[in-house]
Amino acid sequence: MERIGVLTSGGDAPGMNAAIRAVVRTCVYYDMIPYGIYQGYEGLIKNDIEKMDAGSVKHIIHQGGTILKSARSDAFKTEAGMEQAWENIQENNLDGLVVIGGDGTFTGAMRFGQKYDFPIVGIPGTIDNDIYGTDFTIGFDTAVNTVVEAVDKIRDTATSHNRLFFIEVMGRDAGFIAVYSGIAAGSEEILIPEEDRGIEKLFDSLARTSKRNKSSRLVIVAEGDKNGSVYDLEDRVKEEFGDRYETKVTILGHVQRGGRPSCTDRVLASRLGVLSVEGLREGKRDVMVGIRDRSVRYTDFEKATKQNPKMDDELLRIADIISI
């Protein structure tokens, strides 16, 4: 194992640069040669590959996004695309790959690694925290802090005008951002894809807080919630309560992906970057490296992509108790 390629794929996440930095510098530490692959699997197909050194990753640990850029590649899903990628790997004499991304990234890595018997280790980088095999993914902590900061500001307006705000956060299939930010920001209700407790629960919560004359009300909604969009929810609340509430909708959108990574994400990314290279050196392949219960865990790509992390029921119970 002398030459290792590293790429980022799928949606960007704060902390990816810290992971790239750790991979490159770990290679240098072990007298290996790191190669950066630009635009994810698309760059692997187009041979957009560049030799790197310790200086290539200076001053990036604090930057959001990814210096290697990221892209989704339909071509990599085809036999011709994978064949071209394999030819470029051989041309550059790469001995292994580190791929940083989420479910789609690991699915592609699993298919490619098995087809060509090529060692690949994955690092979970996604703000949604929806990868099985690790307690937290790179980017999640930063995204949650971004949401909490935004919600705190929205509450100032909600309090000043006695308004009910519906705030949509990212999470098409997983509600981790909604739950963590909802608890931290003191929302009245949290709606997530994993639990469809019905619109009636929201109505009951709003009716309860109305009797207490609360000066502001915030409802955090994951984008994949089964009750519909935030605009649908706003309409249904108006139908149920009439003019009792002045409602507003805020969709935070891609602001959640950006910004400087938090200390937690920088440390996690650095740790996983080092462990990914050491895993390849030890003969690991077709696995994702993660941290569970403060210990290193290597999880097969198949399990990481096929199983979903379970929402913590205790967090949901706590959210219900402290939202009264």
Side-chain angles (χ1 to χ4, degrees):
M1 190 65 64
E2 297 178 356
R3 297 167 178 246
I4 290 180
V6 57
L7 62 81
T8 52
S9 175
D12 63 295
M16 280 186 166
N17 280 329
I20 294 168
R21 175 179 180 269
V23 169
V24 169
R25 294 199 168 182
T26 305
C27 285
V28 174
Y29 178 85
Y30 285 113
D31 295 322
M32 303 161 72
I33 305 174
Y35 285 80
I37 302 165
Y38 291 87
Q39 299 288 344
Y41 293 126
E42 197 68 16
L44 200 57
I45 293 172
K46 295 179 179 178
N47 204 21
D48 194 359
I49 302 172
E50 184 178 90
K51 182 179 177 181
M52 304 181 80
D53 56 33
S56 303
V57 291
K58 64 182 179 182
H59 308 315
I60 69 168
I61 193 171
H62 62 287
Q63 296 178 12
T66 161
I67 63 166
L68 293 178
K69 310 301 181 184
S70 186
R72 291 177 170 85
S73 176
D74 290 331
F76 193 71
K77 299 176 183 177
T78 68
E79 294 297 320
M82 285 199 292
E83 181 63 32
Q84 184 61 56
W86 176 240
E87 290 178 8
N88 292 333
I89 281 177
Q90 292 177 303
E91 180 182 325
N92 289 276
N93 295 314
L94 299 183
D95 301 308
L97 279 182
V98 173
V99 297
I100 306 168
D103 181 80
T105 302
F106 296 157
T107 299
M110 178 175 64
R111 290 180 61 236
F112 186 83
Q114 292 175 353
K115 181 178 178 64
Y116 296 101
D117 191 26
F118 188 69
I120 305 177
V121 170
I123 296 176
T126 167
I127 67 170
D128 292 327
N129 202 45
D130 59 349
I131 301 295
Y132 179 84
T134 187
D135 291 333
F136 297 105
T137 58
I138 296 170
F140 173 70
D141 184 74
T142 305
V144 168
N145 279 287
T146 297
V147 171
V148 170
E149 182 179 359
V151 173
D152 286 347
K153 293 176 180 178
I154 291 170
R155 185 180 288 281
D156 291 343
T157 293
T159 302
S160 299
H161 297 275
N162 293 319
R163 287 173 176 164
L164 164 62
F165 270 85
F166 290 96
I167 304 169
E168 183 185 276
V169 300
M170 284 187 166
R172 189 184 305 112
D173 302 307
F176 292 99
I177 292 177
V179 170
Y180 276 76
S181 63
I183 291 174
S187 68
E188 275 65 48
E189 194 63 44
I190 302 169
L191 304 180
I192 59 175
E194 293 92 333
E195 284 220 356
D196 182 10
R197 294 187 278 184
I199 194 70
E200 290 75 19
K201 186 177 185 303
L202 173 62
F203 291 163
D204 291 343
S205 176
L206 294 176
R208 184 175 64 248
T209 58
S210 177
K211 292 179 182 179
R212 296 175 52 219
N213 294 318
K214 294 189 70 172
S215 60
S216 66
R217 296 166 186 84
L218 303 174
V219 178
I220 305 294
V221 185
E223 60 182 324
D225 175 60
K226 302 299 189 296
N227 290 296
S229 72
V230 280
Y231 293 107
D232 293 333
L233 289 169
E234 182 187 33
D235 290 340
R236 295 177 72 176
V237 166
K238 286 180 178 178
E239 291 174 5
E240 178 72 15
F241 293 98
D243 297 331
R244 193 184 311 179
Y245 293 110
E246 181 183 358
T247 58
K248 296 290 181 180
V249 168
T250 298
I251 299 177
L252 295 183
H254 283 77
V255 69
Q256 296 161 85
R257 287 196 185 278
R260 294 190 170 197
S262 65
C263 174
T264 296
D265 274 329
R266 296 184 200 192
V267 172
L268 177 63
S270 298
R271 190 176 182 186
L272 296 183
V274 171
L275 292 168
S276 66
V277 174
E278 291 182 337
L280 284 171
R281 283 171 51 83
E282 294 167 3
K284 299 279 195 304
R285 59 173 60 208
D286 295 326
V287 295
M288 179 202 78
V289 60
I291 305 295
R292 299 196 71 175
D293 299 325
R294 300 186 180 183
S295 298
V296 181
R297 295 286 189 276
Y298 289 95
T299 303
D300 292 342
F301 278 145
E302 185 169 9
K303 185 176 289 187
T305 55
K306 295 291 174 57
Q307 294 193 31
N308 295 319
K310 189 177 183 300
M311 179 61 68
D312 189 344
D313 292 335
E314 181 71 6
L315 283 177
L316 296 176
R317 188 180 74 86
I318 289 171
D320 285 340
I321 291 174
I322 63 179
S323 66
I324 61 171

PDB file of all heavy atoms in Angstrom, residues 193-212:
ATOM      1  N   PRO A 193     -39.485  12.303   9.701  1.00  0.00           N
ATOM      2  CA  PRO A 193     -39.949  11.202   8.846  1.00  0.00           C
ATOM      3  C   PRO A 193     -40.126   9.885   9.588  1.00  0.00           C
ATOM      4  O   PRO A 193     -40.996   9.084   9.227  1.00  0.00           O
ATOM      5  CB  PRO A 193     -38.826  11.063   7.799  1.00  0.00           C
ATOM      6  CG  PRO A 193     -38.075  12.329   7.850  1.00  0.00           C
ATOM      7  CD  PRO A 193     -38.194  12.833   9.255  1.00  0.00           C
ATOM      8  N   GLU A 194     -39.311   9.648  10.620  1.00  0.00           N
ATOM      9  CA  GLU A 194     -39.342   8.352  11.310  1.00  0.00           C
ATOM     10  C   GLU A 194     -40.615   8.115  12.109  1.00  0.00           C
ATOM     11  O   GLU A 194     -40.986   6.975  12.360  1.00  0.00           O
ATOM     12  CB  GLU A 194     -38.142   8.224  12.269  1.00  0.00           C
ATOM     13  CG  GLU A 194     -36.802   8.161  11.590  1.00  0.00           C
ATOM     14  CD  GLU A 194     -36.158   9.529  11.441  1.00  0.00           C
ATOM     15  OE1 GLU A 194     -36.904  10.539  11.375  1.00  0.00           O
ATOM     16  OE2 GLU A 194     -34.933   9.605  11.412  1.00  0.00           O
ATOM     17  N   GLU A 195     -41.265   9.189  12.535  1.00  0.00           N
ATOM     18  CA  GLU A 195     -42.434   9.048  13.395  1.00  0.00           C
ATOM     19  C   GLU A 195     -43.569   9.902  12.874  1.00  0.00           C
ATOM     20  O   GLU A 195     -43.537  11.121  12.965  1.00  0.00           O
ATOM     21  CB  GLU A 195     -42.100   9.466  14.832  1.00  0.00           C
ATOM     22  CG  GLU A 195     -41.303   8.437  15.591  1.00  0.00           C
ATOM     23  CD  GLU A 195     -41.767   8.326  17.027  1.00  0.00           C
ATOM     24  OE1 GLU A 195     -42.646   9.093  17.433  1.00  0.00           O
ATOM     25  OE2 GLU A 195     -41.234   7.462  17.727  1.00  0.00           O
ATOM     26  N   ASP A 196     -44.571   9.253  12.318  1.00  0.00           N
ATOM     27  CA  ASP A 196     -45.758   9.976  11.879  1.00  0.00           C
ATOM     28  C   ASP A 196     -46.819   9.864  12.974  1.00  0.00           C
ATOM     29  O   ASP A 196     -47.620   8.937  13.000  1.00  0.00           O
ATOM     30  CB  ASP A 196     -46.278   9.384  10.570  1.00  0.00           C
ATOM     31  CG  ASP A 196     -47.501  10.133  10.042  1.00  0.00           C
ATOM     32  OD1 ASP A 196     -47.807  11.212  10.597  1.00  0.00           O
ATOM     33  OD2 ASP A 196     -48.127   9.648   9.091  1.00  0.00           O
ATOM     34  N   ARG A 197     -46.771  10.831  13.886  1.00  0.00           N
ATOM     35  CA  ARG A 197     -47.697  10.800  15.009  1.00  0.00           C
ATOM     36  C   ARG A 197     -48.989  11.550  14.709  1.00  0.00           C
ATOM     37  O   ARG A 197     -49.843  11.720  15.575  1.00  0.00           O
ATOM     38  CB  ARG A 197     -47.004  11.369  16.255  1.00  0.00           C
ATOM     39  CG  ARG A 197     -45.866  10.490  16.727  1.00  0.00           C
ATOM     40  CD  ARG A 197     -45.281  10.943  18.031  1.00  0.00           C
ATOM     41  NE  ARG A 197     -44.314  12.021  17.857  1.00  0.00           N
ATOM     42  CZ  ARG A 197     -43.596  12.547  18.850  1.00  0.00           C
ATOM     43  NH1 ARG A 197     -43.755  12.080  20.082  1.00  0.00           N
ATOM     44  NH2 ARG A 197     -42.731  13.503  18.632  1.00  0.00           N
ATOM     45  N   GLY A 198     -49.132  11.984  13.461  1.00  0.00           N
ATOM     46  CA  GLY A 198     -50.389  12.598  13.034  1.00  0.00           C
ATOM     47  C   GLY A 198     -50.452  14.086  13.303  1.00  0.00           C
ATOM     48  O   GLY A 198     -49.822  14.605  14.223  1.00  0.00           O
ATOM     49  N   ILE A 199     -51.253  14.752  12.500  1.00  0.00           N
ATOM     50  CA  ILE A 199     -51.411  16.201  12.633  1.00  0.00           C
ATOM     51  C   ILE A 199     -52.127  16.565  13.922  1.00  0.00           C
ATOM     52  O   ILE A 199     -51.963  17.671  14.462  1.00  0.00           O
ATOM     53  CB  ILE A 199     -52.176  16.758  11.404  1.00  0.00           C
ATOM     54  CG1 ILE A 199     -52.071  18.283  11.331  1.00  0.00           C
ATOM     55  CG2 ILE A 199     -53.629  16.320  11.445  1.00  0.00           C
ATOM     56  CD1 ILE A 199     -50.714  18.779  10.977  1.00  0.00           C
ATOM     57  N   GLU A 200     -52.901  15.615  14.462  1.00  0.00           N
ATOM     58  CA  GLU A 200     -53.655  15.896  15.688  1.00  0.00           C
ATOM     59  C   GLU A 200     -52.732  16.196  16.862  1.00  0.00           C
ATOM     60  O   GLU A 200     -53.069  17.009  17.727  1.00  0.00           O
ATOM     61  CB  GLU A 200     -54.575  14.714  16.040  1.00  0.00           C
ATOM     62  CG  GLU A 200     -55.755  14.520  15.099  1.00  0.00           C
ATOM     63  CD  GLU A 200     -55.339  13.920  13.770  1.00  0.00           C
ATOM     64  OE1 GLU A 200     -54.227  13.321  13.708  1.00  0.00           O
ATOM     65  OE2 GLU A 200     -56.107  14.039  12.808  1.00  0.00           O
ATOM     66  N   LYS A 201     -51.582  15.536  16.898  1.00  0.00           N
ATOM     67  CA  LYS A 201     -50.632  15.804  17.990  1.00  0.00           C
ATOM     68  C   LYS A 201     -50.149  17.248  17.924  1.00  0.00           C
ATOM     69  O   LYS A 201     -49.983  17.907  18.957  1.00  0.00           O
ATOM     70  CB  LYS A 201     -49.452  14.842  17.931  1.00  0.00           C
ATOM     71  CG  LYS A 201     -48.501  14.985  19.127  1.00  0.00           C
ATOM     72  CD  LYS A 201     -47.397  13.959  19.069  1.00  0.00           C
ATOM     73  CE  LYS A 201     -46.523  14.036  20.320  1.00  0.00           C
ATOM     74  NZ  LYS A 201     -45.937  15.374  20.521  1.00  0.00           N
ATOM     75  N   LEU A 202     -49.903  17.738  16.716  1.00  0.00           N
ATOM     76  CA  LEU A 202     -49.506  19.135  16.559  1.00  0.00           C
ATOM     77  C   LEU A 202     -50.628  20.056  17.016  1.00  0.00           C
ATOM     78  O   LEU A 202     -50.386  21.033  17.737  1.00  0.00           O
ATOM     79  CB  LEU A 202     -49.149  19.420  15.097  1.00  0.00           C
ATOM     80  CG  LEU A 202     -48.866  20.880  14.743  1.00  0.00           C
ATOM     81  CD1 LEU A 202     -47.667  21.409  15.520  1.00  0.00           C
ATOM     82  CD2 LEU A 202     -48.639  21.026  13.241  1.00  0.00           C
ATOM     83  N   PHE A 203     -51.852  19.732  16.639  1.00  0.00           N
ATOM     84  CA  PHE A 203     -52.987  20.558  17.055  1.00  0.00           C
ATOM     85  C   PHE A 203     -53.118  20.584  18.580  1.00  0.00           C
ATOM     86  O   PHE A 203     -53.360  21.642  19.179  1.00  0.00           O
ATOM     87  CB  PHE A 203     -54.291  20.025  16.439  1.00  0.00           C
ATOM     88  CG  PHE A 203     -54.387  20.196  14.954  1.00  0.00           C
ATOM     89  CD1 PHE A 203     -55.312  19.458  14.219  1.00  0.00           C
ATOM     90  CD2 PHE A 203     -53.565  21.085  14.290  1.00  0.00           C
ATOM     91  CE1 PHE A 203     -55.415  19.618  12.843  1.00  0.00           C
ATOM     92  CE2 PHE A 203     -53.656  21.244  12.904  1.00  0.00           C
ATOM     93  CZ  PHE A 203     -54.582  20.507  12.190  1.00  0.00           C
ATOM     94  N   ASP A 204     -52.970  19.420  19.197  1.00  0.00           N
ATOM     95  CA  ASP A 204     -53.067  19.348  20.664  1.00  0.00           C
ATOM     96  C   ASP A 204     -51.984  20.194  21.320  1.00  0.00           C
ATOM     97  O   ASP A 204     -52.235  20.889  22.308  1.00  0.00           O
ATOM     98  CB  ASP A 204     -52.936  17.890  21.132  1.00  0.00           C
ATOM     99  CG  ASP A 204     -54.140  17.042  20.747  1.00  0.00           C
ATOM    100  OD1 ASP A 204     -55.189  17.633  20.419  1.00  0.00           O
ATOM    101  OD2 ASP A 204     -54.009  15.810  20.762  1.00  0.00           O
ATOM    102  N   SER A 205     -50.770  20.123  20.774  1.00  0.00           N
ATOM    103  CA  SER A 205     -49.665  20.892  21.341  1.00  0.00           C
ATOM    104  C   SER A 205     -49.924  22.385  21.223  1.00  0.00           C
ATOM    105  O   SER A 205     -49.713  23.144  22.181  1.00  0.00           O
ATOM    106  CB  SER A 205     -48.359  20.522  20.615  1.00  0.00           C
ATOM    107  OG  SER A 205     -47.286  21.312  21.082  1.00  0.00           O
ATOM    108  N   LEU A 206     -50.411  22.821  20.066  1.00  0.00           N
ATOM    109  CA  LEU A 206     -50.690  24.242  19.868  1.00  0.00           C
ATOM    110  C   LEU A 206     -51.841  24.714  20.753  1.00  0.00           C
ATOM    111  O   LEU A 206     -51.819  25.825  21.296  1.00  0.00           O
ATOM    112  CB  LEU A 206     -51.010  24.521  18.398  1.00  0.00           C
ATOM    113  CG  LEU A 206     -49.852  24.317  17.413  1.00  0.00           C
ATOM    114  CD1 LEU A 206     -50.324  24.525  15.980  1.00  0.00           C
ATOM    115  CD2 LEU A 206     -48.708  25.267  17.737  1.00  0.00           C
ATOM    116  N   ALA A 207     -52.851  23.876  20.914  1.00  0.00           N
ATOM    117  CA  ALA A 207     -53.971  24.245  21.781  1.00  0.00           C
ATOM    118  C   ALA A 207     -53.522  24.373  23.228  1.00  0.00           C
ATOM    119  O   ALA A 207     -53.961  25.276  23.960  1.00  0.00           O
ATOM    120  CB  ALA A 207     -55.076  23.189  21.662  1.00  0.00           C
ATOM    121  N   ARG A 208     -52.614  23.484  23.647  1.00  0.00           N
ATOM    122  CA  ARG A 208     -52.114  23.520  25.017  1.00  0.00           C
ATOM    123  C   ARG A 208     -51.314  24.792  25.278  1.00  0.00           C
ATOM    124  O   ARG A 208     -51.492  25.468  26.293  1.00  0.00           O
ATOM    125  CB  ARG A 208     -51.242  22.289  25.284  1.00  0.00           C
ATOM    126  CG  ARG A 208     -50.735  22.178  26.718  1.00  0.00           C
ATOM    127  CD  ARG A 208     -49.979  20.887  26.945  1.00  0.00           C
ATOM    128  NE  ARG A 208     -48.771  20.803  26.142  1.00  0.00           N
ATOM    129  CZ  ARG A 208     -48.589  19.948  25.142  1.00  0.00           C
ATOM    130  NH1 ARG A 208     -49.545  19.095  24.818  1.00  0.00           N
ATOM    131  NH2 ARG A 208     -47.453  19.940  24.452  1.00  0.00           N
ATOM    132  N   THR A 209     -50.420  25.129  24.344  1.00  0.00           N
ATOM    133  CA  THR A 209     -49.610  26.335  24.540  1.00  0.00           C
ATOM    134  C   THR A 209     -50.444  27.603  24.400  1.00  0.00           C
ATOM    135  O   THR A 209     -50.122  28.629  24.991  1.00  0.00           O
ATOM    136  CB  THR A 209     -48.445  26.374  23.533  1.00  0.00           C
ATOM    137  OG1 THR A 209     -48.970  26.338  22.198  1.00  0.00           O
ATOM    138  CG2 THR A 209     -47.509  25.202  23.750  1.00  0.00           C
ATOM    139  N   SER A 210     -51.541  27.522  23.638  1.00  0.00           N
ATOM    140  CA  SER A 210     -52.411  28.695  23.489  1.00  0.00           C
ATOM    141  C   SER A 210     -53.057  29.068  24.817  1.00  0.00           C
ATOM    142  O   SER A 210     -53.208  30.248  25.154  1.00  0.00           O
ATOM    143  CB  SER A 210     -53.487  28.411  22.439  1.00  0.00           C
ATOM    144  OG  SER A 210     -54.367  29.496  22.318  1.00  0.00           O
ATOM    145  N   LYS A 211     -53.434  28.064  25.589  1.00  0.00           N
ATOM    146  CA  LYS A 211     -54.051  28.319  26.892  1.00  0.00           C
ATOM    147  C   LYS A 211     -53.069  28.987  27.848  1.00  0.00           C
ATOM    148  O   LYS A 211     -53.477  29.697  28.765  1.00  0.00           O
ATOM    149  CB  LYS A 211     -54.538  27.000  27.491  1.00  0.00           C
ATOM    150  CG  LYS A 211     -55.717  26.375  26.731  1.00  0.00           C
ATOM    151  CD  LYS A 211     -56.123  25.062  27.362  1.00  0.00           C
ATOM    152  CE  LYS A 211     -57.274  24.418  26.582  1.00  0.00           C
ATOM    153  NZ  LYS A 211     -57.660  23.110  27.177  1.00  0.00           N
ATOM    154  N   ARG A 212     -51.772  28.755  27.627  1.00  0.00           N
ATOM    155  CA  ARG A 212     -50.763  29.338  28.502  1.00  0.00           C
ATOM    156  C   ARG A 212     -50.305  30.706  28.011  1.00  0.00           C
ATOM    157  O   ARG A 212     -49.429  31.322  28.603  1.00  0.00           O
ATOM    158  CB  ARG A 212     -49.559  28.393  28.591  1.00  0.00           C
ATOM    159  CG  ARG A 212     -49.896  27.052  29.239  1.00  0.00           C
ATOM    160  CD  ARG A 212     -48.712  26.111  29.190  1.00  0.00           C
ATOM    161  NE  ARG A 212     -47.514  26.739  29.733  1.00  0.00           N
ATOM    162  CZ  ARG A 212     -46.290  26.585  29.231  1.00  0.00           C
ATOM    163  NH1 ARG A 212     -46.121  25.860  28.151  1.00  0.00           N
ATOM    164  NH2 ARG A 212     -45.252  27.176  29.785  1.00  0.00           N
TER     165      ARG A 212
END
